[in-house]
Amino acid sequence: PTEQCVEILDAYQAHAETAYGWTPTAANRGISREIYVTPTRASFEEKFDEIASQERENAYPRIFEAPDLRELNQGRYALKTYSWKKEGGRPARGVGRGMEQVKNGHFLLGDPDTLIEQITTQQQATGAGVLVIRPEQGNMTLQEAGDSMELFAREVLPAIQAL
């Protein structure tokens, strides 16, 4: 996925340069990741199975689509390329977050040191100057979700701001 991010960002950058004469900088390159911060590596191991199963439990059902509108809808995407999805891409809703999704960088999960390492690696590979995060909350209590975000803000954010 990090390689796929680089491929996608490079393709958009090349298009911006050739079509518009504009060279995006790091401030114009971004990556988006779902995160869950645990206080320790041991608590990550403990929570992982629970979080992975929550994704399947909370998956949205497929929305009904009228067959005669399918072709029309597909036309909306004709000018874009999604070839990177052939190599895995983002997992479909409901597929779950196995350890593979954590290892390949789609989902950042772990203690602060692990997240700092993962984010730093991905930033260096992509040259992205923007990180968009979506906290994974699933079936967590409000207290658990708040504690996770507070831990991110206190320990991870200061370490990655300089990137």
Side-chain angles (χ1 to χ4, degrees), residues 40-89:
T40 64
R41 180 70 186 171
S43 58
F44 156 72
E45 305 280 345
E46 180 182 305
K47 288 295 257 180
F48 179 77
D49 287 334
E50 178 185 337
I51 292 166
S53 69
Q54 285 175 0
E55 177 68 13
R56 287 184 294 277
E57 292 169 11
N58 296 328
Y60 296 106
R62 287 254 181 237
I63 298 172
F64 171 77
E65 183 180 300
D68 54 335
L69 296 178
R70 186 175 298 130
E71 185 178 332
L72 181 61
N73 189 41
Q74 288 173 343
R76 296 184 338 179
Y77 305 103
L79 299 177
K80 299 178 184 176
T81 175
Y82 292 98
S83 61
W84 56 274
K85 288 186 176 183
K86 292 178 185 171
E87 284 91 40

Side-chain angles (χ1 to χ4, degrees), residues 6-116:
V6 172
E7 180 183 327
I8 294 164
L9 289 170
D10 287 348
Y12 281 120
Q13 178 150 347
H15 178 71
E17 290 171 349
T18 57
Y20 304 105
W22 172 60
T23 302
T25 65
N28 308 115
R29 291 173 69 102
I31 56 176
S32 176
R33 296 291 182 256
E34 295 177 63
I35 66 161
Y36 182 79
V37 189
T38 59
T40 64
R41 180 70 186 171
S43 58
F44 156 72
E45 305 280 345
E46 180 182 305
K47 288 295 257 180
F48 179 77
D49 287 334
E50 178 185 337
I51 292 166
S53 69
Q54 285 175 0
E55 177 68 13
R56 287 184 294 277
E57 292 169 11
N58 296 328
Y60 296 106
R62 287 254 181 237
I63 298 172
F64 171 77
E65 183 180 300
D68 54 335
L69 296 178
R70 186 175 298 130
E71 185 178 332
L72 181 61
N73 189 41
Q74 288 173 343
R76 296 184 338 179
Y77 305 103
L79 299 177
K80 299 178 184 176
T81 175
Y82 292 98
S83 61
W84 56 274
K85 288 186 176 183
K86 292 178 185 171
E87 284 91 40
R90 185 184 189 286
R93 294 286 298 172
V95 170
R97 292 199 175 63
M99 185 56 78
E100 187 62 31
Q101 300 303 332
V102 174
K103 287 180 183 176
N104 69 23
H106 282 295
F107 185 51
L108 304 176
L109 177 89
D111 63 288
D113 291 336
T114 300
L115 287 181
I116 291 167

